[in-house]
Amino acid sequence: MKRSDLFFALPSAIPSLPTPRFINLRGSESLEHETGSIACELTQGLTAQAAALPPKFFYNTLGSKLFEAITVLDEYYPTRTEAGIFQAASPQIAGALAQAGLNHPCLIDLGAGNCAKALSLMPVIRPRQYVPVDISTDFLRDAAGQVQNSFPALDIVGVGMDFSADLRLPDEVQLHDRVYFYPGSSLGNFQPAQALAFLRNMADKAQGKARGLLLGIDLVKDTATLQAAYDDALGVTAAFNKNLLRNVNELLAADFDVRQWKHVALFNTAQSRIEMHLEALSDLTVTWPGHSRPFLAGERIHTESSYKYTVESMTALLTQAGFSQVRQWTDPQQWFAVFWAAA
Ligand code: AVJ
């Protein structure tokens, strides 16, 4: 029985159900060092003139679950619009990978979360190895186990890491035929210059060793639709945003009271980005070991930027980063785009 036949083999054909390998790079540094660098990063943001907190700290276990809830909201169109494009364009996507000679690639799923997006594409991409990567390690460990149950013969290596800073993957991840999968417009969280640097790293033979990239990008559209997607009527996005303060309390031993903060989402047309903020409802002071920061009523903490591109601006960025053969597919309303770029 060829290995690829095992791909869809019934579980009974496999002696014992394998479990995914899981490498927690977040544990690799000494706890002190990691806690120190997180505390330093958070303190820097909170004591800045214009206070800001990195969006990666949204994703503790509750944050990952709240984001899952956001993806099924009426107002939050990106996830289902992207899924519709993947479904409609899957033959062309499979064709693009075949044209690049990537028949059974190593699929590296950045910010995999619950792995649902990659799961839907498995029959199209038929990876030899699946590498879900996420900063939310516990959440990812469970999700990778689910994928293994669905695909018992698939070689899975889960990696817990903050990939926004560094793309170097553990040795267990195969070097050749790497296809990076970065859906959901998560690249939008990077400032454009950082996005370029990140894409360059990916395409760099010395670092990311990419052979291809499958990327989901949210496109610029009318302000009302954008703002509603980041400020839904039920208040799920508001909870997701405020939960960041809960995570900071845990990571920094701070004393934020989420009831004292209001969720704000606005589209900054000049920068072509959605901005999320938390606004102080009254004059207050936040303290944490060795520090305190007063906030006046109305003062804000910037918690996320979500840049919105056009097909032209993202094609230009991918080319500038060293990718070639850039192709893209959009939905009929041109609200979202899926890009394939070979390296
Ligand atoms: C996961 C970063 C793609 O920016 O649309 C959803 C996160 N923030 N609602 C996005 C998010 C508010 C999402 N990304």
Side-chain angles (χ1 to χ4, degrees):
M1 184 185 278
K2 294 201 306 315
R3 182 169 176 76
S4 55
D5 297 336
L6 278 177
F7 196 84
F8 289 103
L10 295 171
S12 57
I14 313 293
S16 61
L17 280 182
T19 51
R21 286 175 284 174
F22 196 88
I23 297 151
N24 184 357
L25 291 182
R26 296 201 63 199
S28 62
E29 303 149 351
S30 70
L31 194 54
E32 294 73 48
H33 183 276
E34 182 180 348
T35 318
S37 62
I38 287 177
C40 172
E41 198 175 354
L42 292 171
T43 296
Q44 218 170 20
L46 284 176
T47 55
Q49 177 68 32
L53 288 169
K56 63 184 174 187
F57 294 113
F58 283 135
Y59 303 98
N60 60 359
T61 301
L62 174 58
S64 295
K65 290 180 188 292
L66 285 167
F67 177 63
E68 250 186 326
I70 287 172
T71 63
V72 295
L73 291 170
D74 294 346
E75 297 97 327
Y76 193 77
Y77 59 83
T79 309
R80 64 176 170 273
T81 308
E82 180 183 53
I85 297 169
F86 279 134
Q87 199 168 17
S90 52
Q92 292 90 340
I93 293 172
L97 270 82
Q99 193 190 347
L102 294 162
N103 297 311
H104 291 294
C106 165
L107 184 65
I108 300 167
D109 185 359
L110 300 175
N114 60 15
C115 302
K117 293 175 184 168
L119 207 55
S120 69
L121 280 176
M122 288 294 177
V124 178
I125 297 177
R126 300 168 66 89
R128 181 186 309 279
Q129 187 180 55
Y130 174 53
V131 184
V133 181
D134 204 289
I135 194 170
S136 186
T137 45
D138 298 340
F139 192 79
L140 181 67
R141 200 189 291 273
D142 297 348
Q146 303 295 327
V147 177
Q148 190 78 84
N149 293 343
S150 308
F151 295 101
L154 181 57
D155 176 15
I156 300 180
V157 181
V159 183
M161 70 183 284
D162 171 6
F163 61 84
S164 63
D166 185 347
L167 250 184
R168 270 169 304 162
L169 293 162
D171 300 343
E172 288 78 359
V173 177
Q174 75 179 50
L175 281 175
H176 59 281
D177 295 349
R178 288 183 174 185
V179 169
Y180 285 85
F181 179 51
Y182 203 22
S185 203
S186 290
L187 186 74
N189 273 163
F190 291 101
Q191 312 279 336
Q194 290 171 318
L196 178 58
F198 184 72
L199 292 170
R200 274 212 175 104
N201 274 352
M202 213 183 272
D204 178 351
K205 294 286 172 266
Q207 297 203 40
K209 295 187 171 52
R211 288 286 316 284
L213 165 65
L214 202 51
L215 176 72
I217 288 291
D218 195 17
L219 301 175
V220 178
K221 56 187 67 60
D222 67 287
T223 298
T225 303
L226 282 168
Q227 288 185 177
Y230 291 84
D231 194 8
D232 60 280
L234 262 183
V236 181
T237 311
F240 172 73
N241 197 4
K242 291 180 189 177
N243 175 61
L244 172 62
L245 301 180
R246 285 265 180 87
N247 197 19
V248 172
N249 282 351
E250 205 174 304
L251 293 167
L252 206 52
D255 58 2
F256 278 102
D257 177 349
V258 295
R259 290 165 299 198
Q260 296 177 316
W261 296 85
K262 184 177 82 168
H263 167 67
V264 175
L266 54 92
F267 183 57
N268 178 332
T269 319
Q271 301 266 353
S272 187
R273 69 184 188 198
I274 277 282
E275 295 179 6
M276 291 211 312
H277 299 264
L278 288 166
E279 183 176 301
L281 290 170
S282 60
D283 296 356
L284 57 90
T285 298
V286 177
T287 66
W288 64 101
H291 298 272
S292 72
R293 162 78 197 238
F295 289 92
L296 298 175
E299 206 175 336
R300 293 175 174 174
I301 301 175
H302 185 180
T303 56
E304 185 178 48
S305 290
S306 196
Y307 284 85
K308 307 303 174 184
Y309 290 84
T310 62
V311 166
E312 296 70 27
S313 63
M314 184 43 67
T315 302
L317 201 70
L318 286 164
T319 310
Q320 208 185 337
F323 286 97
S324 60
Q325 297 163 32
V326 177
R327 300 175 58 179
Q328 41 77 28
W329 303 273
T330 59
D331 60 297
Q333 290 174 295
Q334 304 258 324
W335 274 14
F336 202 93
V338 168
F339 289 82
W340 163 254

